[in-house]
Amino acid sequence: MSKTAYEIIKDELKEVEALIRNQFSENFGLISQAINSTVLSGGKRLRPALLLLCAKAGKDYDKTKALNLACAVELIHSATLIHDDIVDDSKFRRGMPTLQSLFGKDAAVYAGDYVLIKAFNFLYSVKDFDIIHLFSRVMEKIVIGEIKQKEDVFKIISFNDYFKRIKKKTALLFGLSCEVGGIISGTDNDKIRALKNFGVNFGIAFQIIDDILDYTGSRETLGKSPGNDIKEGVITLPLLLAISSPRYKDLLIQLIEGIKIGEDNSSRIVEIVLESGAIERSKEYARRILEKSMKNLNIIENLTVKSALEYLALSSIERTF
């Protein structure tokens, strides 16, 4: 986040951290240890940042609502990550051991459920059933997206299906953060819709970069070897683009089939994806989608908020983790 963007919401982000920590102040033994090692270990807090910035876009600013909703969106995100890691049997996330690898699947399941309950506590405190309904609908779609990803393990899906999947998996929570922020800012429906569309497209571009990093990142930055997605049977945009080239298609399909029966072909697949030019093509997709995302901000009259949101979006393209 730029200094300008951070300065706008730095005090609120500190309060978000304090509110979240207060929710988990009771000692529940193993679950508390698990939550301390994950939810309370920090992070970019990108979704709360989006919500807090968008909450300043209109003529009103309800700080209490903004803080509670920012906490809710962060805890929903945290709970989904915990549950994802359990399903995928992931050992690392962002270079750190996952909760389930540290404390076991049982503790991780309970911790994820407990985090989700705390998210609903924050939501309930707002006492706005329209907003609660928005959260509920997005959470349903996130789960559907995760189920669909599991069903599509090792399948060569279409580009359209890929974008549908990452919209549900990642982008809708970005869109929700921006939309809800806009709603509580007191701005008009056109601007709320624009903020939501900005968030959704930003989230799509963000996930594409995540998928690129699985092929280009180092063990030091990722905390795991490149090619982890394909080891888990998740075929993402760089691999889809490489497969779309007749030169690489047959070999890649053969290597993917080999992984399904236990062959360690992931490093070779990474090599071919890098050789094929699919990474630059994937980055171009992300750039175009991000440009589309930022056009939605043209309607936003608060130039300080607009500039901060633009910086958050642009910096996502350059990130290395």
Side-chain angles (χ1 to χ4, degrees):
M1 193 184 302
S2 72
K3 184 176 180 182
T4 303
Y6 177 75
E7 285 295 325
I8 299 170
I9 54 169
K10 68 174 184 179
D11 292 335
E12 287 95 330
L13 281 174
K14 288 178 182 176
E15 290 186 66
V16 166
E17 291 291 337
L19 285 167
I20 290 175
R21 287 185 178 281
N22 186 58
Q23 280 289 309
F24 298 103
S25 59
E26 293 182 69
N27 189 348
F28 289 106
L30 193 58
I31 288 179
S32 294
Q33 291 179 49
I35 288 169
N36 282 330
S37 74
T38 53
V39 179
L40 304 181
S41 63
K44 293 188 286 290
R45 307 301 195 211
L46 179 55
R47 292 149 194 84
L50 288 170
L51 193 151
L52 291 167
L53 285 169
C54 291
K56 293 176 179 283
K59 63 183 184 296
D60 300 324
Y61 179 58
D62 188 326
K63 182 179 177 181
T64 301
K65 272 191 175 181
L67 291 175
N68 281 307
L69 290 169
C71 290
V73 78
E74 179 65 12
L75 292 181
I76 288 168
H77 171 60
S78 297
T80 61
L81 294 184
I82 291 168
H83 287 149
D84 284 352
D85 289 337
I86 297 166
V87 171
D88 297 336
D89 199 24
S90 300
K91 304 303 180 188
F92 294 93
R93 180 177 287 276
R94 304 290 183 227
M96 300 295 291
T98 58
L99 193 154
Q100 61 100 16
S101 69
L102 287 172
F103 301 100
K105 290 184 181 291
D106 291 351
V109 168
Y110 294 135
D113 291 346
Y114 190 58
V115 171
L116 202 54
I117 290 165
K118 293 298 186 180
F120 276 102
N121 285 347
F122 282 114
L123 271 180
Y124 177 75
S125 69
V126 173
K127 293 183 169 53
D128 186 321
F129 288 102
D130 288 336
I131 287 177
I132 291 171
H133 182 60
L134 286 175
F135 269 82
S136 176
R137 286 181 61 193
V138 167
M139 290 170 67
E140 178 183 5
K141 290 175 181 176
I142 290 171
V143 172
I144 290 170
E146 292 293 348
I147 292 170
K148 180 62 175 167
Q149 178 171 297
K150 204 65 183 174
E151 289 176 347
D152 288 340
V153 165
F154 290 113
K155 287 183 181 177
I156 314 297
I157 59 175
S158 68
F159 289 102
N160 188 48
D161 283 343
Y162 166 78
F163 284 108
K164 283 181 180 178
R165 185 178 77 199
I166 66 171
K167 181 179 179 180
K168 289 185 174 75
K169 176 182 175 180
T170 301
L172 288 180
L173 198 56
F174 278 65
L176 177 69
S177 301
C178 295
E179 179 182 15
V180 168
I183 289 169
I184 65 173
S185 79
T187 194
D188 60 61
N189 287 336
D190 287 344
K191 293 184 179 67
I192 292 168
R193 193 176 304 111
L195 288 170
K196 176 185 177 180
N197 290 336
F198 160 77
V200 169
N201 285 293
F202 176 17
I204 290 171
F206 186 91
Q207 185 59 52
I208 291 172
I209 297 300
D210 244 21
D211 294 341
I212 290 170
L213 288 172
D214 187 61
Y215 286 89
T216 62
S218 66
R219 178 181 286 276
E220 288 72 27
T221 56
L222 296 178
K224 57 189 179 184
S225 300
N228 195 66
D229 283 343
I230 189 58
K231 288 178 186 175
E232 296 173 355
V234 180
I235 296 178
T236 58
L237 185 61
L239 183 51
L240 287 173
L241 287 168
I243 290 170
S244 71
S245 169
R247 179 180 175 185
Y248 301 103
K249 180 178 179 180
D250 291 342
L251 176 56
L252 284 170
I253 291 174
Q254 179 184 341
L255 290 168
I256 292 167
E257 289 297 316
I259 290 180
K260 286 168 66 175
I261 60 173
E263 296 175 5
D264 186 11
N265 295 332
S266 59
S267 59
R268 180 63 181 131
I269 290 173
V270 170
E271 289 174 5
I272 295 170
V273 168
L274 295 176
E275 177 188 317
S276 73
I279 298 302
E280 278 308 314
R281 291 168 67 194
S282 297
K283 287 181 180 178
E284 187 56 35
Y285 268 95
R287 291 188 193 101
R288 289 203 303 266
I289 292 167
L290 206 62
E291 287 172 6
K292 178 181 177 182
S293 171
M294 290 192 294
K295 285 180 182 177
N296 288 286
L297 298 177
N298 291 338
I299 195 174
I300 304 303
E301 295 165 350
N302 187 320
L303 297 182
T304 305
V305 169
K306 177 184 175 183
S307 175
L309 291 171
E310 287 174 340
Y311 182 88
L312 287 180
L314 288 169
S315 62
S316 72
I317 290 292
E318 305 303 328
R319 66 196 173 91
T320 57
F321 62 91

